[in-house]
Amino acid sequence: EFKRGDKVSKKKLTTAQKLKIINSDPVLWLSNFVKIIDNEGKEVPFKVNKEQLDFVENMDKFNIILKGRQIGFTTLALGLMLYYAHQNKNTNYMLISYDTDSVNNIFNKLKLMYESIPDKYRVKSKRDNRNELVLENGSRISVKIASHKSLGRSFTCQFIHISEMAFFQDGAGKDVLVGLEQSLAKNTQSRIVIESTANGVGNAYYDLYQNANKGRSKYKGFFYHWFADGAKNQFKHELDLAEHWYKSENKGVRLNPKELTPYEKNLYDKGCTLKQLMWRQWKLQDMSEEAFRQEFPSTVEEAFISTDIGVFDSEVILERYNYLPKPITSTN
């Protein structure tokens, strides 16, 4: 299986022709050669989800992502690094995260993905310790902690991914970014990607995303809400638990569209499923609305609005955002 869209004709192709097509497309390469561990602990082919595909097809040189939990952008970054490291000799790739545990977990995921590649298509490694995977073709993938502004200055990187930047400590975000931007390769194919869930306002990530979102930055802004397709797969087990809980609380009947609150109806109209809305109610049993919005935003405004800032009630502000009428366009 190697088809994607209309890139492959229906005529019979030789193995060499198929391999050439696969190697020319990161999405095809990942789905054919790389496996990941899903939330049920099973090893499955890396099938790029809708949001990941949107990003792959639309990313620029400088990119910043605001998103809900568990959509899979760190996994995507590792997959892209493996793809480009296999296709290009003597290139460097770096993923930055916020603490030791996170870095170790990410590197272990990288090793599992690398080892899942079939032997005949996998470039052999020279070293895979100290949170660094070095291939025999001279390419290197490093996973490091966001610790100091000199990070990345010792070599040139083809692809840099900064994970959960909003949670970097002591203003490390701006300092780290200065060094990493300077280490980015000066060619048309190099990329830097910043992704995070929100962590309030007043931090480097907040400032950078808001500027990108308003078109005042070299960074291109992306937003992916919590009821995205990728999240459906990641939370599949919890979605089933939530539906069971809801039915047990409502005489065996699942949520009906006629029972939705105005806010839920707004989400439903945007594509949120009834099962996801039941999951939202299930989650709100032990977390506040504010905490849910930060972890699982449906809009950019939800992600950053907090009840402990400003003089206006955040619920009222969100109500206005969600029901703003569409702008009137001129007929002249």
Side-chain angles (χ1 to χ4, degrees), residues 278-311:
M278 287 185 279
W279 176 81
R280 179 178 179 274
Q281 292 186 23
W282 181 68
K283 294 289 284 186
L284 288 174
Q285 291 180 104
D286 50 22
M287 70 187 302
S288 68
E289 287 270 4
E290 179 186 349
F292 185 91
R293 287 195 298 263
Q294 182 171 289
E295 298 285 307
F296 307 103
S298 64
T299 64
V300 171
E301 294 76 23
E302 277 192 355
F304 291 118
I305 287 182
S306 172
T307 58
D308 61 359
I309 61 170
V311 295

Side-chain angles (χ1 to χ4, degrees), residues 1 7 22 33 37 53 65 70 81 85 113 117 122 143 156 172 178 204 244 252 255 274 290 298 315:
E1 180 185 352
K7 291 195 171 189
I22 291 171
F33 295 152
I37 306 299
L53 180 60
I65 301 169
Q70 297 292 319
M81 290 179 188
M113 291 168 66
I117 301 171
R122 184 175 67 235
V143 185
T156 300
V178 169
H244 178 78
L255 184 62
L274 293 174
E290 179 186 349
S298 64
E315 295 292 339

Side-chain angles (χ1 to χ4, degrees), residues 1-3 8-9 11-25 28-29 32-33 121:
E1 180 185 352
F2 63 97
K3 293 185 179 181
V8 182
S9 67
K11 67 179 182 179
K12 289 185 178 181
L13 302 175
T14 66
T15 299
Q17 288 173 322
K18 291 177 182 178
L19 189 58
K20 183 177 180 180
I21 292 170
I22 291 171
N23 283 337
S24 70
D25 186 326
L28 287 175
W29 191 85
N32 281 274
F33 295 152
Y121 302 123

Side-chain angles (χ1 to χ4, degrees), residues 8 23 47 51 65 80 84-85 118 133 147 180 187 199 202 210 214 237 268 281 284 287 296 304 306 324 331:
V8 182
N23 283 337
K47 300 293 185 182
E51 290 70 39
I65 301 169
L80 291 176
Y84 289 117
L133 174 65
S147 55
L180 291 176
N187 58 53
N199 186 26
Q210 291 289 40
K214 295 173 183 176
H237 179 61
Y268 184 62
Q281 292 186 23
L284 288 174
M287 70 187 302
F296 307 103
F304 291 118
S306 172
L324 281 173
T331 57

Side-chain angles (χ1 to χ4, degrees), residues 43-54:
E43 188 178 55
V44 297
F46 189 161
K47 300 293 185 182
V48 172
N49 65 44
K50 181 179 177 181
E51 290 70 39
Q52 292 170 331
L53 180 60
D54 175 78

Side-chain angles (χ1 to χ4, degrees), residues 155-167:
F155 54 87
T156 300
C157 290
Q158 188 64 26
F159 190 104
I160 300 169
H161 186 94
I162 305 173
S163 180
E164 296 296 351
M165 180 179 173
F167 295 87

Side-chain angles (χ1 to χ4, degrees), residues 64 66 207-217 219-223 300-301 304:
I64 184 166
L66 171 65
D207 293 339
L208 192 61
Y209 185 82
Q210 291 289 40
N211 285 332
N213 198 38
K214 295 173 183 176
R216 301 193 304 232
S217 168
Y219 281 85
K220 182 177 182 180
F222 294 83
F223 172 71
V300 171
E301 294 76 23
F304 291 118

